[in-house]
Amino acid sequence: MLAATHAAFSTALYLGGAAVFEYQTDPVSWGLAILFSFMPDIDIPTSRVGRPLFWLSVPLEKRFGHRTITHSVIGVAILAALASPLYFAYPLCFWSVLGGYWSHIQIGRP
């Protein structure tokens, strides 16, 4: 899947969520949603996010392969635990991070 597709889908979910749940949008949380829509592909060293984070993507690919742990509920739970301090300071950014990550997993489902 192209990065632009993931960015478009996370944008649609972000703006759609704002319309349904009536939260204020801002460029930072929107950007986080787009950025984290690429993050599940960290398990591919040649991906947009895997290249700069090669020190993490290479071991992930060797240990788990593609579309395993990073494309699962376990990956979302790990990210939620890592991003949990963000929830107390900037709740919208926390949900943007999780929503963007989740959007990648959902768009790839058959």
Side-chain angles (χ1 to χ4, degrees), residues 54-67:
F54 68 91
W55 51 271
L56 183 57
S57 72
V58 170
L60 278 172
E61 183 186 41
K62 286 183 180 180
R63 173 84 168 124
F64 300 106
H66 182 49
R67 291 192 179 157

Side-chain angles (χ1 to χ4, degrees), residues 13 19 24 26 33 41 44-45 48 55 57 62 68 74-75 79 90 96 98 109:
L13 287 177
Q24 292 293 322
D26 65 77
D41 282 337
I44 305 172
R48 183 177 297 262
W55 51 271
S57 72
K62 286 183 180 180
T68 56
I74 294 169
L79 179 63
Y90 305 102
S96 295
L98 286 186
R109 298 282 181 220

Side-chain angles (χ1 to χ4, degrees), residues 9 14 28 30 42 46 68 74-75 77 83:
F9 193 66
Y14 178 80
V28 172
W30 189 355
I42 198 167
T46 58
T68 56
I74 294 169

Side-chain angles (χ1 to χ4, degrees), residues 84-105:
S84 62
L86 195 58
Y87 179 78
F88 300 104
Y90 305 102
L92 180 58
C93 289
F94 171 80
W95 290 114
S96 295
V97 165
L98 286 186
Y101 193 92
W102 176 80
S103 74
H104 177 106
I105 296 168

